[in-house]
């Protein structure tokens, strides 16, 4: 969406129109756009502002506050590392650091080849199997630093190795 194409603009207008009767439509609109396109760049925020009358500052504030929303395209494989309390006390920080070390990116960043994004998450509801990592929707329980290299290789090879 670097230059918002006509078709994308129409689709975003359609998403905005779904919630015209809602009192507070912003979260629903942004969720639909995030799901549809995988990210919400500034030009899209400006279009949403134009269509809804909500200021760009408010929209930007919401997009940057919630980790579910993203300003940039995410990688093919999104590695969500839980850093909630239960995971943290069981060594989640070391697990995130290992992903960062091998991939050469920090949480919130995407590798240059577009293969991996690391996300730091709050509790994902899997505290009983902490520390938990979620990749493309699959949850990996009781992760240890030693398991990280093989997991990266698995997804580098399409997730089937
Ligand atoms: S704190 Fe990680 S799953 Fe709850």
């Amino acid at each position: 969406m670097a230059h918002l194409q006509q078709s994308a603009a129409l689709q975003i207008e359609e998403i905005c129109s779904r919630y015209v009767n809602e009192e507070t439509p912003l979260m629903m609109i942004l969720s639909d756009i995030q799901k549809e396109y995988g990210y919400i760049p500034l030009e899209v925020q400006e279009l949403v502002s134009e269509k809804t009358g909500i200021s760009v500052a408010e929209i930007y504030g919401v997009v940057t506050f919630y980790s579910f929303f993203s300003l940039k395209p995410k990688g093919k494989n999104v590695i969500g590392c839980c850093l909630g309390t239960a995971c943290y006390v069981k060594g989640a920080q070391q697990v995130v650091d290992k992903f960062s070390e091998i991939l050469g990116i920090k949480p919130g960043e995407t590798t240059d080849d577009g293969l991996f994004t690391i996300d730091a998450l709050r509790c994902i509801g899997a505290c009983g199997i902490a520390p938990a990592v979620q990749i493309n929707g699959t949850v990996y329980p009781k992760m240890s630093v030693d398991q990280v290299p093989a997991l990266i290789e698995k997804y580098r090879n399409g997730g089937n190795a």
Side-chain angles (χ1 to χ4, degrees):
M1 281 194 287
H3 301 288
L4 201 54
Q5 288 167 350
Q6 181 76 5
S7 57
L10 286 174
Q11 171 77 3
I12 286 155
E13 284 178 28
E14 189 275 313
I15 289 172
C16 291
S17 71
R18 287 176 197 166
Y19 302 107
V20 281
N21 295 322
E22 297 288 337
E23 236 173 81
T24 52
L26 188 55
M27 286 299 280
M28 288 177 275
I29 290 171
L30 295 179
S31 293
D32 284 7
I33 294 172
Q34 177 72 41
K35 276 186 216 142
E36 190 77 29
Y37 293 101
Y39 69 117
I40 311 174
L42 196 55
E43 58 191 330
V44 169
Q45 296 173 38
E46 286 166 354
L47 182 57
V48 171
S49 172
E50 206 179 285
K51 294 292 155 200
T52 60
I54 299 167
S55 73
V56 175
E58 186 179 341
I59 296 169
Y60 182 82
V62 170
V63 170
T64 50
F65 182 79
Y66 293 97
S67 61
F68 169 72
F69 299 129
S70 174
L71 285 166
K72 292 189 202 150
K74 293 202 177 191
K76 181 168 177 238
N77 302 295
V78 180
I79 302 168
C81 297
C82 181
L83 285 175
T85 307
C87 289
Y88 190 83
V89 298
K90 296 245 174 138
Q93 185 65 56
Q94 288 90 317
V95 172
V96 181
D97 289 347
K98 192 68 185 177
F99 277 112
S100 286
E101 179 196 318
I102 295 175
L103 294 173
I105 53 171
K106 292 190 279 230
E109 294 180 346
T110 299
T111 53
D112 288 343
D113 60 9
L115 267 185
F116 294 100
T117 295
I118 300 176
D119 273 346
L121 306 176
R122 293 298 157 203
C123 181
I124 58 170
C127 307
I129 53 168
V133 167
Q134 181 173 295
I135 305 182
N136 304 342
T138 300
V139 175
Y140 292 89
K142 301 187 177 179
M143 276 294 296
S144 69
V145 167
D146 295 345
Q147 291 171 280
V148 170
L151 205 47
I152 289 173
E153 279 320 299
K154 172 177 169 165
Y155 282 89
R156 211 184 277 293
N157 296 319
N160 303 316

